[in-house]
Amino acid sequence: MKRLFLLLLCLACLLLTGCGAITTKGEQGKPLYSVVDSFGNRVIFTAKPRRIVSLNTSIDEILLDLVPAERIQGLTYLVDDPSISCAVEKAKQIKSRVYGGNFEAIVALNPDLVLAASFMGPGYCDALKAAGLKVVTCTSANTVQEIMAFINQVADAVGEKERGREMTAKLQRDLEAVRDKALAKHQGKMLRVLALSTMGIMGPEGPFNDLCHYAGIRNALAEKNVPAQAVLSEELLLELNPDVLFMPSWDYTKKKDVDGFAKKILENPLYKDVEAVKHKRFYKLHDQYLYSTSQYTLKAVEEMAKLCYNIE
């Protein structure tokens, strides 16, 4: 009976430790810290993970600036594609690449932490856990503030909370600095921009509105009830009459002619009086920056401000 009592007491202590404040001692086998992932699951760590595998390109980018390369066991295969990854050169330090659907390859890397994005779904992450892996999912970002929260979630999961807060504080300062420069140079006229992709136009949803804010420009669709990736109609472009058109540099399917897409828009005689076309203000953005939900979102803001206001 005494043994049963002691066993129950130990179990209660363990449960309380998992749900309470994060400890900092980290003795052998005891909790060092814990995090709650995007699906509400608490994950407990007895040591900082040293064989981290990432299943998301933005997480790749964050990790490479957050922890030493020797703590990263594998990155996504997309990290080597310069049309979508901002960390191609840094990623060369890491040997292994993973495909999200290849569970066997992920397990074979023997990770002590797998980092995923919430859009991959709870079922996918549960399957990884069923294979015996420790998984933390981070909430997918749709605003700049959510991007910062995403960075912090990754930092918390790998036991680098302070470093994560340093990264996001710097990102906030740098974004504000770009906005200040842009507002000082726009000469009383905040340019209205329309961003196009081969999948459709960038509406009011997603990070683009925030990127425009920090670049000192305005999304022409900010106050329009237009769904994400809606088809650009001739009537809508004429109605919006943007000062600037941002053209795509990347196509996810790799089946479309990006340059031909832009040419078709610009050479349409119906658009000759659109401000952006009339003044030849149409620019190709680096989509690896534009679509990033990591610290590299700053690069998109800097590029947009430079193209619109000639800011160095």
Side-chain angles (χ1 to χ4, degrees), residues 134-147:
K134 181 172 286 189
V135 182
V136 172
T137 56
C138 302
T139 307
S140 303
N142 283 307
T143 67
V144 167
Q145 290 305 311
E146 287 176 1
I147 289 173

Side-chain angles (χ1 to χ4, degrees), residues 46-67:
T46 57
K48 291 183 180 182
R50 305 197 64 81
R51 297 178 61 83
I52 305 165
V53 167
S54 164
L55 302 182
N56 174 264
T57 312
S58 288
I59 294 176
D60 293 341
E61 295 169 352
I62 295 166
L63 279 177
L64 287 164
D65 280 357
L66 186 64
V67 299

Side-chain angles (χ1 to χ4, degrees), residues 294-307:
S294 73
Q295 65 276 19
Y296 288 96
T297 196
L298 173 66
K299 294 287 187 182
V301 171
E302 289 175 336
E303 185 171 47
M304 290 159 62
K306 180 177 180 179
L307 291 170

